[in-house]
């Protein structure tokens, strides 16, 4: 876990801590099922336990963290069924976002999305997965924002929070990462053409592909643990 100290005004400290914890969860620095060690996190982020606990409560409300009575908190670990069901809903939300965005996007919004797309392509060329993912997520949020439907946005944000870590890891295979990039090129082309049906289709297909990659990864990991139980990840509070 890389050391990163925070220097932030007190009224928003817990929000900034929550954002840092989200990044750690997404990038696997706190793996699924891993316990959030409060003492270690306070030392790592140079904060007291009060803002940390407030941040953890925020993440629990988002579905990223599970609070266990008398046992602290752990990163949520989704089952294969959870993944399938959540991606199924997310594909519908992404598709609707794209359809409405193609109908309602302004020139300024389109130009901003295209600028983000070029930045994302540069990150892909550098194979900078962390930067790529952050820009990628911003593009998807921009599609949703361009739909201009606050109810859709609230639902989108709630469901999307559960999938962030899985979406990040789905690009760690070179060929699958290239396919995702090709799909993003098609998204921008459909948006620029104001082709609502095409953008809806490519976004839903994109999410379906993400789902399939994630499920394959879960099955591979499960098989590896079953075949080599001594190599399973050990977290605080879990015996080897």
């Amino acid at each position: 876990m890389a050391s990163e100290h925070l220097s932030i005004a007190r009224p928003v400290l817990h929000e900034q801590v929550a954002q840092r914890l989200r990044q750690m969860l997404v990038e696997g620095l706190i793996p699924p099922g891993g316990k959030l060690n409060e003492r270690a996190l306070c030392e790592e982020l140079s904060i007291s336990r009060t803002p940390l606990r407030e941040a953890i409560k925020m993440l629990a409300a988002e579905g990223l963290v599970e609070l266990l009575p008398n046992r602290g908190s752990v990163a949520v670990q989704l089952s294969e069924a959870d993944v399938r069901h959540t991606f199924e809903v997310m594909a519908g939300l992404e598709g609707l976002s794209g359809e409405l965005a193609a109908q309602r996007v302004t020139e300024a919004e389109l130009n901003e999305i295209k600028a983000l797309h070029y930045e994302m392509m540069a990150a892909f060329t550098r194979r900078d997965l962390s930067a790529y993912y952050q820009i990628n997520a911003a593009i998807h949020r921009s599609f949703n924002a361009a739909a201009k439907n606050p109810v859709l946005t609230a639902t989108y944000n709630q469901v999307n929070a559960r999938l962030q870590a899985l979406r990040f890891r789905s690009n760690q295979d070179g060929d699958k990462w290239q396919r995702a990039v090709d799909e993003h090129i098609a998204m921008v082309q459909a948006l620029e053409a104001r082709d609502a049906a095409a953008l809806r289709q490519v976004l839903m297909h994109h999410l379906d592909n993400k789902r399939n990659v994630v499920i394959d990864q879960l099955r591979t990991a499960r098989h590896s643990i079953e075949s080599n139980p001594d190599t399973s990840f050990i977290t605080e509070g879990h015996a080897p």
Side-chain angles (χ1 to χ4, degrees), residues 9 13-14 22 26 51 62 71-72 80 116 144 187 204 227 234:
L13 180 57
H14 70 280
R22 283 191 202 96
V26 166
E62 295 173 9
R71 293 173 55 197
E80 182 175 321
L116 287 170
N144 180 264
M187 289 174 206
M204 293 187 70
S227 301
I234 300 171

Side-chain angles (χ1 to χ4, degrees), residues 81-95 159 163 204 207-208 211 215:
D82 292 331
V83 169
R84 190 180 303 278
H85 295 153
T86 308
F87 266 102
E88 190 172 68
V89 173
M90 198 66 208
L93 296 173
E94 290 266 16
V159 177
L163 295 178
M204 293 187 70
L207 266 290
D208 286 345
R211 176 203 61 207
I215 288 175

Side-chain angles (χ1 to χ4, degrees), residues 119-131:
E119 290 180 33
M120 188 190 75
M121 294 297 290
F124 172 68
T125 300
R126 298 192 306 270
R127 296 301 190 268
D128 184 344
L129 182 58
S130 181

Side-chain angles (χ1 to χ4, degrees), residues 135-196:
I135 302 167
N136 179 292
I139 290 172
H140 282 274
R141 288 194 302 270
S142 296
F143 282 130
N144 180 264
K148 301 176 177 64
N149 184 317
V151 176
L152 175 60
T153 295
T155 308
Y156 174 93
N157 290 338
Q158 181 180 14
V159 177
N160 193 43
R162 290 169 59 92
L163 295 178
Q164 292 303 295
L166 298 175
R167 293 178 77 158
F168 176 83
R169 288 192 290 274
S170 69
N171 285 328
Q172 292 179 354
D173 176 279
D175 291 340
K176 294 180 177 65
W177 194 359
Q178 179 64 63
R179 182 178 66 188
V181 167
D182 292 341
E183 289 165 354
H184 265 267
I185 293 171
M187 289 174 206
V188 173
Q189 291 173 341
L191 183 65
E192 194 166 20
R194 268 69 171 188
D195 189 335

Side-chain angles (χ1 to χ4, degrees), residues 17 37 42 53 75 96 102 107 125 142 162 169-170 180 212 221 224:
V17 173
N37 185 324
C42 285
R53 288 175 175 172
L96 180 57
E107 281 298 319
T125 300
S142 296
R162 290 169 59 92
R169 288 192 290 274
S170 69
N212 293 339
S224 176

Side-chain angles (χ1 to χ4, degrees), residues 101 103-112 146 148 191 194:
Q103 297 167 0
R104 300 172 180 176
V105 68
T106 66
E107 281 298 319
E109 289 170 332
L110 175 60
N111 289 334
E112 177 61 23
K148 301 176 177 64
L191 183 65
R194 268 69 171 188

